[in-house]
Amino acid sequence: MNKKILIAEDEEDMRQILSLHLTSKGYIVSEAKDGIEAIDKAKVDVDLILLDIMMPGFDGLEVCKKIRNQVICPIIFISAASDDMNMMKAFALGGDDFISKPFSLKLLTYKVEALFKMGERLLQNHGGNERKRILIDDLVVDITSREIMYNKKVIPFTKKEFDLLVLLLSSPKQVFTKEQIYERISGIDGQGDSSAIVEHIKNIRRKLLSAGFSENYLQTVWGIGYQWNNQ
C-alpha cells in the first residue's frame, strides 16, 4: 500500500514542487496551506507529515504541539530558519527530523525514505513471536502495533522516540553512544545531527514519568551515552 504524506506549507510554489516530486515517487499526497488546515488534515490517517515552521494561522511548532498526542506518524520540520533554537524546539515538541531551506529534493527523498525504512527494519528485526511485545513491569511495548502502554493506557510516542526506546530495550545494559543511536534509528540514509538524541531521551523520560512509570531504567552513562537497565 502506498504511503500517505501530508505537506503543510504556505508557499504555493514550494507546496506544488514537493507534491509533484513525492507523487512521482509513488506517495499519496495531501496538502495544507496553513496551520489550521494542517491540524484538520492531520486527523485523517497519514504516514508522514512535512511541516513548515513559518505558516499563517498556527505556525508549524504550534501545529505539532496541538496534534502530537493524537498523531504518531513521523514529522519532518521544514524551515528557512535553521538556528539551533528552532531545531531544538522542533525535536522537543515531537519532531522526528529537520530540514533547512533551501534543500534538494534528493535530500528530502532520503529523509522520507530513511524514516519509512527504519520502521520496516524494526519489524523485521523483531518479527519473531517472542519479540512482538516487550514487557517491563506494567509497561508494554508492542512492536507490531507500535504502541506503548502503561497500566493499559497508551503513551503517545513519536516514531523516533519509539525506535530509540525499542533499541535500548532490545539490548538491556548495553551502552549506546549518541552517534550509535542516531545511526540505528535514522538508518544509512539518515541526515542531521546526533545531538537531537538528547532531546528524544528527554521526551521519553518525561512521557514515561507523566504516565506514572517512575522507575529510572533509562540511564545516562556520563561521557558515553545511554542504556536501559532494569536489573
Side-chain angles (χ1 to χ4, degrees), residues 30-114:
S30 59
E31 301 178 20
K33 63 182 179 299
D34 56 42
I36 296 172
E37 190 175 6
I39 291 172
D40 186 56
K41 291 195 172 181
K43 296 175 184 177
V44 180
D45 184 32
V46 292
D47 297 301
L48 184 143
I49 299 173
L50 296 177
L51 186 57
D52 187 32
I53 287 186
M54 299 301 293
M55 291 191 299
F58 295 110
D59 66 30
L61 296 173
E62 292 174 305
V63 170
C64 186
K65 186 176 181 180
K66 289 178 181 295
I67 69 173
R68 212 15 157 174
N69 285 343
Q70 289 77 41
V71 175
I72 63 172
C73 73
I75 294 177
I76 300 177
F77 276 96
I78 300 173
S79 178
S82 59
D83 60 280
D84 288 346
M85 183 60 69
N86 265 331
M87 191 177 296
M88 291 301 102
K89 283 181 180 178
F91 285 120
L93 288 170
D96 295 279
D97 210 336
F98 191 101
I99 187 167
S100 301
K101 295 178 181 178
F103 56 85
S104 70
L105 293 176
K106 184 176 181 180
L107 174 60
L108 175 68
T109 303
Y110 280 161
K111 285 180 174 289
V112 169
E113 290 180 350

Side-chain angles (χ1 to χ4, degrees), residues 118 122 126 162-172 174 176 180-182 184-185:
M118 189 60 217
L122 188 64
H126 303 280
F162 181 91
D163 293 344
L164 196 165
L165 182 59
V166 169
L167 172 65
L168 297 178
L169 290 173
S170 300
S171 301
Q174 179 177 341
F176 292 90
Q180 287 174 323
I181 293 172
Y182 183 82
R184 295 284 193 92
I185 71 172

